[in-house]
Amino acid sequence: MAEDLVLDTAIRDWVLIPLSVVMVLIGVLRYFVSKLMRSSQVPDSKIVREGQVIVRARNLRAAANYIPAKSFRARKVYFNNEENGLLHVPKGQAQNAQAQMFSDPNMAMDMMKKNLSMIIPQTLTFAWVNFFFSGFVAAKIPFPLTQRFRSMLQNGIDLSTVDVSYVSSRSCHR
Amino acid sequence: MVTKTEETELNRLEIQVDNGGGGAWEYLCLVRKLKVRRSDKVLKHGLSILNDPKKRSNLGPEEWTLYEQVAVAAMDCQCLDVAKDCIKVLQKRFPESKRVGRLEGLLLESKGSWAEAEKAYSSLLEENSFDQVVLKRRVAMAKAQGNMSGAIELLNKYLETFMADHDAWRELAEIYVSLQMYKQAAYCYEELILSQPTVPLYHLAYAEVLYTLGGLENLQTAKKYYASTIDLTGGKNTRALFGICLCTSAIGQLTKGRNKEEKESPELHSLAATALEKIYKQRAPTKLPLLNSALKGLKI
């Protein structure tokens, strides 16, 4: 059923505009908070070196035609030598990135801090919006949508007859 | 590398500022961005801005960057008092800053007190052992004191960690050439060519090192690199053209006794000679007879 629900202009004034303003402000706040909480990282020797080695190896591959064959071979051996080649990782020792991330204490701390700074504002805003703005239709999307989007866009409304183009206020926030 | 448009813009601003027109701040910003070394002009115009309190307050937070720039320029021109004043102002504003610490080390270096500068730099390195600028300053100090082998050692250690820093490779290559360690210099130039294959400067330098090393194989490779330099510069590089002629004649001399199966075509040599004559006719017609006699002497 595609009935036309007439939306009160009061909804627009008191819901949409404050909601969007609040979202923007929270985004800005989050940015500043994360900037403050970010600890200055002392570059780790291995990581810096690895990054540079990769750049050098990439240059070697890209511009290999520009140097004499002998020097190219010498450099290739330098990188791939069995005993002490820079890029040679003996089988079985290569850790995948995930394990490395958790074993490095500094990086784990950083990740946790970042996650926290994301989670707390999210929870607060969600509770606040829920309290103030639940239960009514806030906007209408101009193009038609399928039923699949119903759960996404009509979060607080429990009627199944409302057209999916109408978005509830809770879904605006999400 | 500075591009052509940037160069013309820089020159235009320089002329404008020198003749009393405005735009000193834009000029200084451009110099800072392009990292060119115009210390006397920077000093003059920077000081004129800093000594005028109204212009200084117009800058806002950029004032401190200007202080830093003027301090470095003053040290380059040996006006150490000016530098000391600037650094004092910066110290008052940013007491525990590493950037100001670097400037202090630089001041000690310019005064010639090497031991104290070394101490200052080591203390900075203790806080952050991967500070590229401080590590490079140590190399510069060793070089200024004439201790080339120490400079080489420090630079090699630096490059072990930061091997993608092409400025450092270039510095190392020049040090090696000055010490006549040509094989190592050749390795450095190869590194440079790998990282920036379209810069003709490195091809030319590599060709010259190979030519200096001598030996048939090196001469043939050198000829190839002179040719690639000509290719990259569109035929305007006279040094590369001369290089081709010299290489061809040197190869000819080395292969004189052997059978001529591998004789390289003389086209390249004659083409290079013709190009050289054309360039000389355009730019220095008085020297044309000199060129002709030199080329005749080289004929295989």
Side-chain angles (χ1 to χ4, degrees):
Chain A
M1 260 195 292
E3 78 273 339
D4 264 350
L5 288 177
V6 175
L7 296 171
D8 198 358
T9 41
I11 295 182
R12 189 190 60 206
D13 290 341
W14 291 102
V15 175
L16 282 180
I17 297 183
L19 203 53
S20 3
V21 165
V22 165
M23 294 302 291
V24 166
L25 283 179
I26 289 191
V28 167
L29 200 70
R30 199 181 297 168
Y31 169 66
F32 280 122
V33 166
S34 68
K35 219 170 154 187
L36 279 176
M37 289 191 22
R38 195 184 313 156
S39 50
S40 71
Q41 283 173 322
V42 173
D44 188 24
S45 145
K46 239 176 69 158
I47 296 184
V48 162
R49 206 176 147 173
E50 259 172 46
Q52 302 262 327
V53 166
I54 288 187
V55 171
R56 196 175 161 195
R58 188 171 56 210
N59 284 339
L60 178 64
R61 222 177 67 170
N65 293 328
Y66 289 96
I67 53 170
K70 204 166 57 172
S71 14
F72 174 73
R73 279 196 295 269
R75 283 180 165 82
K76 203 173 87 163
V77 165
Y78 176 58
F79 282 123
N80 289 341
N81 191 3
E82 286 274 320
E83 297 138 30
N84 55 0
L86 288 181
L87 291 173
H88 182 76
V89 176
K91 273 212 172 71
Q93 264 193 27
Q95 294 173 312
N96 55 347
Q98 276 255 334
Q100 228 172 19
M101 265 207 279
F102 286 125
S103 62
D104 185 11
N106 278 340
M107 224 191 298
M109 271 306 293
D110 264 341
M111 268 175 62
M112 276 193 54
K113 266 197 234 169
K114 262 188 245 165
N115 282 341
L116 276 178
S117 72
M118 295 288 293
I119 291 176
I120 292 184
Q122 281 256 11
T123 16
L124 286 176
T125 7
F126 187 55
W128 181 73
V129 165
N130 221 347
F131 174 66
F132 276 118
F133 291 129
S134 57
F136 54 91
V137 173
K140 181 173 190 292
I141 300 185
F143 45 86
L145 293 171
T146 60
Q147 295 295 321
R148 294 246 196 112
F149 292 98
R150 185 179 291 273
S151 59
M152 183 166 73
L153 291 177
Q154 294 190 339
N155 213 323
I157 302 176
D158 294 328
L159 300 169
S160 56
T161 51
V162 179
D163 213 347
V164 191
S165 313
Y166 292 100
V167 183
S168 81
S169 57
R170 254 163 109 195
S171 314
C172 266
H173 165 256
R174 287 239 129 259
Chain B
M1 298 271 152
V2 180
T3 65
K4 196 97 181 127
T5 43
E6 286 166 347
E7 191 182 337
T8 41
E9 176 71 19
L10 186 67
N11 289 334
R12 183 187 72 83
L13 275 172
E14 199 169 312
I15 297 176
Q16 182 186 344
V17 177
D18 274 338
N19 292 337
W25 175 241
E26 283 90 26
Y27 176 63
L28 291 170
C29 284
L30 193 58
V31 166
R32 200 172 38 231
K33 187 175 99 161
L34 298 176
K35 298 204 187 139
V36 285
R37 196 172 176 175
R38 308 275 166 108
S39 304
D40 47 351
K41 299 232 161 30
V42 168
L43 187 59
K44 196 167 76 175
H45 301 303
L47 275 182
S48 73
I49 295 187
L50 286 178
N51 287 335
D52 182 359
K54 200 170 59 143
K55 277 194 223 166
R56 201 169 62 206
S57 53
N58 273 348
L59 296 176
E62 304 274 320
E63 179 186 353
W64 312 110
T65 341
L66 186 59
Y67 269 116
E68 191 185 13
Q69 197 178 4
V70 169
V72 174
M75 285 189 257
D76 209 10
C77 304
Q78 276 290 314
C79 305
L80 296 178
D81 312 313
V82 174
K84 213 184 333 213
D85 291 333
C86 292
I87 295 183
K88 225 184 304 228
V89 172
L90 280 169
Q91 250 172 342
K92 220 165 36 179
R93 176 68 178 84
F94 303 105
E96 287 290 324
S97 162
K98 269 192 258 189
R99 243 167 113 169
V100 179
R102 283 207 285 256
L103 283 176
E104 286 171 7
L106 211 55
L107 184 63
L108 288 168
E109 248 188 271
S110 58
K111 275 200 271 203
S113 14
W114 307 114
E116 294 178 19
E118 177 68 42
K119 238 185 349 211
Y121 285 141
S122 342
S123 69
L124 279 173
L125 278 177
E126 267 170 27
E127 296 170 23
N128 176 10
S129 46
F130 294 105
D131 192 345
Q132 292 189 343
V133 180
V134 173
L135 288 169
K136 285 200 236 193
R137 276 326 303 168
R138 281 212 311 194
V139 174
M141 266 203 321
K143 198 171 159 197
Q145 288 172 284
N147 178 9
M148 287 306 189
S149 45
I152 290 182
E153 203 184 296
L154 284 168
L155 200 44
N156 268 323
K157 228 177 84 170
Y158 172 79
L159 280 168
E160 258 172 51
T161 325
F162 295 100
M163 43 180 89
D165 185 353
H166 61 92
D167 281 332
W169 281 111
R170 194 165 163 196
E171 186 66 30
L172 188 58
E174 289 180 5
I175 297 184
Y176 276 139
V177 165
S178 73
L179 291 177
Q180 297 179 343
M181 300 162 73
Y182 292 118
K183 271 182 71 176
Q184 290 89 333
Y187 184 82
C188 297
Y189 278 125
E190 281 164 13
E191 231 18 81
L192 285 169
I193 293 180
L194 278 179
S195 60
Q196 291 173 318
T198 51
V199 173
L201 185 64
Y202 303 142
H203 290 253
L204 186 61
Y206 186 47
E208 307 221 320
V209 167
L210 284 174
Y211 179 72
T212 319
L213 275 174
L216 183 60
E217 202 182 307
N218 283 336
L219 283 172
Q220 285 168 331
T221 327
K223 197 160 136 183
K224 288 192 203 154
Y225 278 95
Y226 278 127
S228 77
T229 313
I230 297 179
D231 195 18
L232 287 169
T233 56
K236 298 206 194 93
N237 195 327
T238 31
R239 211 165 154 153
L241 289 165
F242 269 122
I244 294 248
C245 301
L246 287 170
C247 273
T248 328
S249 77
I251 293 177
Q253 291 223 339
L254 280 181
T255 56
K256 213 181 266 195
R258 308 188 199 169
N259 42 6
K260 304 280 178 84
E261 307 171 338
E262 296 181 15
K263 181 173 170 75
E264 323 202 353
S265 60
E267 284 179 3
L268 191 55
H269 177 95
S270 44
L271 275 175
T274 340
L276 270 173
E277 279 174 12
K278 202 162 74 175
I279 293 183
Y280 266 74
K281 238 183 268 197
Q282 264 184 353
R283 307 230 228 123
T286 47
K287 304 214 175 104
L288 198 49
L290 272 177
L291 174 72
N292 282 330
S293 55
L295 284 177
K296 222 173 301 215
L298 284 178
K299 278 274 188 289
I300 0 169

